[in-house]
């Protein structure tokens, strides 16, 4: 075995990282709360503890030369003393600071003049106290800041994922109800973007400053959760270059080492950055089979301090379909492993099944994904091929809410 690296988190991203680590003879140590978490079975070692347990991360550090993160729910303040003692976090805690919260992200993008939806802090929608006392009129419970109009998209600055922690606001009543329901200091409100497509880009930067990217892909969401990904997206050279330039500006200005994923809206207003994720991403899973190096290889190499090389597609394209829980099944239910569906999915031509081994199923829970390699080199034909393949998958694995089961 070669060098050891640590990862805080033990879900499906850490599981796929552990697979890539095994192939590369890298010992991956994980910090995760349950012995049943996906990554545990493949990891070289486990610190069993919650991901925000700093003492556990200190223990993890004794076993590895560098530590990275599976997700952005990071206790930066808690970990700062470890960094001061010399623990190598990759990306560094400093580079992560503007990325772990959606409000920080919006401020960073504004600072760097990178295109993103216009926004305001929810606190700006609370009417000033002075108004309440004025002219005997009842004070409004919320005001819509100048330059904005409904509908609006509200988001929790921290703790949200897969659409949890977002709310569409249709009018002032919704805005007032939100102010009453949540801590306004932890929420931002954005213009509602009428995008034509959602795109995503996985980028990585090594410690020598080299930036590499996987191809730009299209993502499709169902009820705000990623449903499928088509790689590569049919896009002009200029659009692809714009996305890569944005990624390079961000990574370089943050002196960021590691994998960073960008989600975009694309439409009449051009390219707008929706969200940044300081980690590997659902939109990059297809790269395991379809790319000369996967997003997990890029994370392993950058965290180990190696040089990165530009990945290239090994096939004309790929479709990745998320297998989202379409019903409620308890962990004790023998049918909760969906062996019949898994067999049928694996039997599809050019299909690669990744089953995360989670216990039990609930609506929308990510239980696995399927990558189907595409053979058409002409973009329009490739899209048709992808949609036909999606249909085959749907006949075996329905979307949540499409089974009559809930
Ligand atoms: P999460 O962090 O929960 O994934 P996102 O910010 O990525 O939240 O939002 C989830 C989905 O909601 C997006 O993929 C997009 O489809 C939709 N969405 C988010 N923000 C906006 C917006 N400002 N306008 C329109 N749709 C949006």
């Amino acid at each position: 075995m070669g060098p050891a690296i640590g990862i805080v988190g033990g879900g499906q991203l850490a599981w796929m990282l552990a697979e890539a680590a095994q192939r590369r003879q890298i010992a991956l140590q994980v910090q995760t709360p349950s012995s049943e978490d996906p990554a545990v079975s493949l990891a070289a070692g486990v610190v069993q503890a919650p991901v925000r347990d700093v003492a556990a991360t200190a223990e993890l550090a004794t076993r590895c030369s560098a530590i990275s993160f599976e997700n952005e729910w990071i206790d930066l303040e808690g970990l700062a003393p470890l960094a001061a003692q010399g623990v190598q976090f990759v990306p560094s805690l400093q580079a992560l600071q503007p990325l772990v919260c959606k409000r920080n992200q919006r401020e960073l993008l504004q600072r760097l003049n990178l295109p993103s939806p216009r926004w305001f802090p929810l606190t700006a929608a609370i009417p000033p106290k002075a108004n309440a006392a004025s002219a005997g009129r009842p004070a409004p419970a919320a005001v819509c800041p100048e330059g904005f109009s409904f509908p609006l998209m509200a988001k929790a600055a921290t703790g949200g994922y897969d659409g949890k922690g977002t709310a569409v606001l249709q009018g002032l009543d919704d805005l007032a109800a939100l102010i009453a329901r949540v801590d306004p200091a932890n929420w931002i409100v954005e213009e509602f973007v009428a995008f034509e497509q959602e795109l995503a880009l996985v980028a990585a930067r090594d410690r020598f400053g080299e930036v590499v990217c996987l191809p730009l892909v299209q993502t499709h969401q169902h009820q705000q959760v990623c449903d499928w990904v088509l790689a590569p997206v049919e896009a002009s050279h200029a659009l692809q270059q714009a996305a890569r330039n944005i990624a390079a500006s961000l990574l370089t200005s943050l002196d960021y080492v590691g994998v960073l994923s960008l989600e975009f809206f694309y439409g009449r207003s051009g390219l707008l950055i929706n969200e940044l994720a300081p980690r590997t991403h659902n939109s990059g899973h297809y790269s395991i089979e379809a790319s000369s190096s996967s997003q997990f290889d890029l994370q392993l190499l950058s965290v180990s301090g190696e040089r990165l090389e530009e990945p290239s597609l090994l096939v004309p394209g790929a479709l990745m379909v998320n297998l989202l829980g379409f019903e409620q099944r308890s962990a004790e239910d023998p049918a909760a492993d969906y062996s019949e569906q898994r067999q049928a999915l694996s039997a599809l031509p050019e299909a690669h099944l990744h089953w995360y081994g989670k216990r039990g199923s609930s609506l929308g829970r990510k239980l696995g994904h399927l990558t189907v390699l595409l053979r058409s080199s002409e973009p329009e034909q490739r899209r048709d091929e992808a949609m036909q393949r999606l249909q085959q998958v749907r006949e075996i694995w329905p979307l949540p809410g499409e089974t009559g089961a809930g």
Side-chain angles (χ1 to χ4, degrees), residues 71 96 113 137 171 216 250 252 321 332 371 398 405:
N71 63 46
L96 285 165
N113 252 319
R137 275 183 284 118
L216 190 62
L250 271 165
T252 307
V321 187
E332 286 66 44
T371 296

Side-chain angles (χ1 to χ4, degrees), residues 46 56 115 122 189 231 272 290 300:
V46 179
L122 183 56
V189 185
L272 295 177
L300 288 172

